[in-house]
Amino acid sequence: MAQVLATQMIDDARVRVTRFDFAPGDQTGWHRHAMDYVITAVTDCHMRLELPGGETRDTLVPAGTAYRREEGVEHNVINIGETAMSFVEVELK
């Protein structure tokens, strides 16, 4: 299991901003989000979300688009595309 490259860009009193760069097949590993967050896709992101209870969901997040989620999300994110994918995550403190 290859781990994603996570590069912290900002971590201050209000936000934590991290860029995630995945080679094909890379994954985050299981984690639970402790804060509300926003994801902005830098590239097209063909990802598989492994969810608690064994559920999986394949999705495409197009480059330049964003989505938000609330604290408590638990998952593993895998790049199922044939090319590298990148997104920036902004966690709201």
Side-chain angles (χ1 to χ4, degrees), residues 1-4 20 22 26-31 75-79 87:
M1 169 175 79
Q3 288 292 120
V4 62
F20 292 89
F22 295 71
D26 283 1
Q27 52 191 293
T28 59
W30 278 95
H31 60 283
H75 57 198
N76 179 31
V77 178
I78 306 166
N79 177 3
F87 59 77

Side-chain angles (χ1 to χ4, degrees), residues 32-69:
R32 182 183 182 280
H33 288 266
M35 295 175 258
D36 293 352
Y37 65 99
V38 176
I39 297 291
T40 302
V42 176
T43 65
D44 286 345
C45 294
H46 296 271
M47 56 176 76
R48 174 166 294 141
L49 305 173
E50 294 182 337
L51 305 169
E55 181 185 352
T56 61
R57 184 178 325 136
D58 292 352
T59 188
L60 167 63
V61 181
T65 64
Y67 66 85
R68 68 173 290 284
R69 299 287 183 267

